[in-house]
Amino acid sequence: MTVRIGNCSGFYGDRLSAMREMLEGGELDYLTGDYLAELTMLILGRDRMKDPNRGYAKTFLRQAEDCLGLALDRGVRIVANAGGLNPAGLADALREVNDRLGLQAKIAHVEGDDLIGRAAELGLGSPLTANAYLGAWGIVECLNAGADVVVTGRVTDASVIVGPAAAHFGWQRDDVDQLAGAVVAGHVIECGTQATGGNYAFFTEIDDLDRPGFPIAEIDSDGSSVITKHPGTGGAVTVGTVTAQLLYEITGGRYAGPDVTARIDTAALSQDGPDRVRISGVSGEAPPPQLKVSLNTLAGFRNEAVFVLTGLDIEAKAALVKRQLEGWLPTRPAELDWSLARTDHPDADTEEAASALLRCVVRDPDANAVGRGFSSVAVEMALASYPGFTLTAPPGQGQPYGVFTPGYVYAKEVPHVAVLPDGTRVDIEPATDVRELADVDEPALPEPRAAEPTVRVALGTIAGARSGDKGGNANVGVWVRTDEQWRWLVHALTVDEVKRLLPEAADLTVTRYVLPKLRAVNFVIEGILGQGVASQARFDPQAKGLGEWLRSRHLDIPKALLPEGTPL
């Protein structure tokens, strides 16, 4: 019997109306939500500093106030990680909503992931937040106890989907293939509309992308699934949209979690009808003995000024600004970084098209070093610098920024507690059958194509890409849609070629992973994001556009592989 699990949130700040849309749009058994990105934990940590009773996703509480009665009426159970740093506090707030609305919802929560009080003894330093990625079995315990709503803290993104599936089918810990299949389905739908056409490389092929619907995983007892969406909603579910999401924020063939290591390289995709993609063949292995820990630390303060340089002599104007600002600063910050975006065009027909942007970013442990002194100097230069001096906006006070780093602790060191609707606390034991994580052996590659006529065009003419961030690293997954394109891609898009196409990665460590069943290669670029998204080391701090930059780069592609009608 199939269990139908929908998702209504891919991040803290996603579409507020999505919970109601999913509940009203069609049949569901469960509705899930993922609210906890790496940056979100930092945001919630700062919230908790201001008020120890906060630290959870407040938007989820607003959604529940609007939709809890509707979910009960429709028999849909809700599972979300919106508890953040305070799942018990969110559960209490939900009970207040429940009582105020005169409802009879049974509310449970999962806790134990928060290691902040033991960070030093576990060798994790002195972070602002320290949260282990828990798995699905606490959720299972709560659902088996009859909970209508389960909120958690930091569980893996897929766990909010794996838990309902495992509870529904009665899977056990050694059902690794079934669990792995649910992990893969969960990985596809946990980022919301990225599975239904959002952020999709070939978006122009989707007829209606104005308001894409949120995804649904129809999971079977063997762990296979069909990814779909409610009828009549926008977007599309295709092998391409699902492939793109499978490649998001992974490394290679093994995708490790606290309950199972899913073999991404075994997943087979097939179109199962309009807006229906079947995922089958996923195998699983025992999980690693350690849990990943999300560590966020307040690293200092940052500020920035962006100067608009228009017309002629752009390089000379930039050099003058650099000399003046650095020479006038009363105190040089610990970090001072410049970047010049040559967005200007010669003989431009608009002023904007004639302008380049010079960005100066400063960071320092001392707020004063990047605050009023820096901002004042940037403004004081206005009448004493290059012709046409202007800023995009006056810089303000320095703002605190954080750094994300991953930590690892043995699962036996982390409590995992299911707090049932009646308040009973149940300890969840860690996995006993474990396996150290290792890369898979590189698979056999297809024979390269024979020498043939080529055309120099953008890689994106035939290839899609999806990119994202993991701390200071970025991953870029690249895929093609035919076997012959794959024969070319896997030999052409090497690490050296990616470094040539993306000069920002030229001096960094880049690792390639090959995924033949997806006709894909995935690249992990270490350190390209500096200390992570909150430090904003690049103008694209989460590397969301990195894949599109790669697709826009030109190289020699066999003419026979280009889509019909490609302009040459």
Side-chain angles (χ1 to χ4, degrees):
M1 182 178 176
T2 297
V3 61
R4 195 167 159 90
I5 304 172
N7 175 279
C8 68
S9 177
F11 69 102
Y12 188 15
D14 210 342
R15 191 187 307 169
L16 195 63
S17 62
M19 183 178 287
R20 176 166 288 277
E21 291 172 19
M22 288 298 284
L23 289 169
E24 292 180 340
E27 294 299 316
L28 293 174
D29 298 303
Y30 294 89
L31 184 59
T32 65
D34 174 24
Y35 293 78
L36 300 183
E38 291 171 358
L39 180 62
T40 309
M41 302 303 284
L42 176 65
I43 294 169
L44 295 178
R46 292 178 61 188
D47 282 351
R48 186 170 63 178
M49 289 175 66
K50 299 172 185 175
D51 182 350
N53 295 317
R54 292 297 178 90
Y56 54 78
K58 298 185 287 292
T59 53
F60 175 81
L61 193 61
R62 291 170 58 191
Q63 290 173 310
E65 187 163 10
D66 176 52
C67 298
L68 183 56
L70 177 61
L72 292 172
D73 289 344
R74 299 206 166 208
V76 178
R77 302 166 82 178
I78 297 173
V79 180
N81 62 13
L85 301 178
N86 189 7
L90 177 56
D92 287 342
L94 286 168
R95 292 186 186 98
E96 292 177 8
V97 169
N98 185 55
D99 293 343
R100 187 169 71 251
L101 297 178
L103 304 174
Q104 302 298 317
K106 298 177 181 178
I107 296 164
H109 75 274
V110 178
E111 63 185 37
D113 62 292
D114 194 345
L115 305 179
I116 191 63
R118 300 167 54 216
E121 71 177 78
L122 292 171
L124 301 173
S126 303
L128 174 66
T129 68
N131 295 81
Y133 286 77
L134 301 179
W137 296 107
I139 296 170
V140 172
E141 195 73 33
C142 292
L143 293 173
N144 287 342
D148 299 302
V149 181
V150 182
V151 291
T152 75
R154 179 70 277 182
V155 297
T156 67
D157 299 343
S159 289
V160 295
I161 291 94
V162 177
H168 184 84
F169 294 116
W171 292 337
Q172 302 302 309
R173 287 178 180 266
D174 58 356
D175 291 321
V176 290
D177 291 343
Q178 293 93 324
L179 292 168
V183 165
V184 170
H187 179 59
V188 171
I189 73 168
E190 53 92 359
C191 272
T193 53
Q194 281 196 165
T196 60
N199 296 347
Y200 181 51
F202 301 110
F203 72 98
T204 58
E205 298 176 3
I206 298 176
D207 292 335
D208 175 15
L209 196 55
D210 289 356
R211 192 175 178 84
F214 278 72
I216 299 164
E218 297 176 351
I219 302 177
D220 292 329
S221 59
D222 64 355
S224 63
S225 63
V226 170
I227 307 301
T228 186
K229 63 186 184 70
H230 283 321
T233 55
V237 181
T238 68
V239 169
T241 66
V242 174
T243 298
Q245 183 55 27
L246 273 180
L247 293 173
Y248 186 59
E249 296 181 348
I250 66 167
T251 53
R254 287 190 169 100
Y255 187 66
D259 302 320
V260 67
T261 293
R263 290 291 298 265
I264 294 281
D265 58 342
T266 63
L269 308 182
S270 59
Q271 199 73 39
D272 200 48
D275 292 321
R276 295 180 63 83
V277 171
R278 179 166 293 279
I279 305 175
S280 59
V282 179
S283 63
E285 300 169 348
Q290 293 182 312
L291 300 182
K292 183 178 177 180
V293 183
S294 169
L295 301 171
N296 281 284
T297 304
L298 287 177
F301 298 82
R302 70 178 299 282
N303 203 347
E304 70 174 57
V306 181
F307 301 86
V308 181
L309 315 178
T310 304
L312 305 177
D313 305 318
I314 296 295
E315 298 288 345
K317 289 172 179 174
L320 175 60
V321 172
K322 292 178 184 180
R323 292 197 309 272
Q324 288 182 314
L325 189 139
E326 292 187 24
W328 293 17
L329 283 174
T331 304
R332 185 180 178 91
E335 297 180 48
L336 193 153
D337 298 323
W338 294 94
S339 61
L340 176 60
R342 292 302 302 264
T343 51
D344 55 303
H345 302 275
D347 193 23
D349 58 0
T350 67
E351 183 177 343
E352 186 173 6
S355 299
L357 298 177
L358 177 64
R359 182 174 181 242
C360 180
V361 177
V362 290
R363 303 181 188 87
D364 198 279
D366 182 0
N368 293 326
V370 299
R372 186 178 302 277
F374 171 80
S375 300
S376 296
V377 166
V379 173
E380 288 167 1
M381 291 165 54
L383 304 183
S385 191
Y386 63 90
F389 180 102
T390 189
L391 293 156
T392 56
Q397 294 297 312
Q399 297 297 315
Y401 76 94
V403 172
F404 169 87
T405 55
Y408 295 90
V409 297
Y410 283 98
K412 62 184 179 182
E413 299 284 349
V414 179
H416 185 174
V417 181
V419 184
L420 308 184
D422 65 0
T424 301
R425 301 176 64 85
V426 179
D427 292 329
I428 307 299
E429 295 299 317
T432 55
D433 182 15
V434 295
R435 173 178 175 171
E436 291 287 350
L437 187 64
D439 290 336
V440 301
D441 295 333
E442 181 160 308
L445 303 183
E447 286 294 319
R449 291 170 63 90
E452 58 188 317
T454 62
V455 180
R456 196 162 188 82
V457 293
L459 175 62
T461 306
I462 67 169
R466 173 67 61 78
S467 58
D469 64 307
K470 280 295 180 186
N473 301 340
N475 96 287
V476 185
V478 183
W479 82 96
V480 288
R481 299 191 277 191
T482 72
D483 290 339
E484 287 305 308
Q485 290 173 343
W486 167 242
R487 283 181 62 194
W488 171 80
L489 180 78
V490 75
H491 293 287
L493 201 60
T494 62
V495 167
D496 286 343
E497 182 67 353
V498 164
K499 288 188 173 188
R500 184 187 73 81
L501 296 170
L502 303 181
E504 289 182 35
D507 297 325
L508 302 175
T509 299
V510 179
T511 305
R512 185 178 91 150
Y513 301 93
V514 179
L515 299 166
K517 286 199 172 184
L518 300 177
R519 301 192 191 97
V521 285
N522 185 49
F523 297 90
V524 176
I525 305 174
E526 297 182 24
I528 194 170
L529 302 179
Q531 294 180 296
V533 54
S535 68
Q536 297 197 19
R538 301 177 75 245
F539 85 101
D540 175 21
Q542 291 182 286
K544 300 300 186 184
L546 194 61
E548 287 301 293
W549 178 28
L550 180 61
R551 292 183 69 237
S552 74
R553 297 307 309 272
H554 287 221
L555 68 170
D556 296 325
I557 299 178
K559 189 175 181 180
L561 300 181
L562 303 180
E564 186 175 346
T566 299
L568 304 177

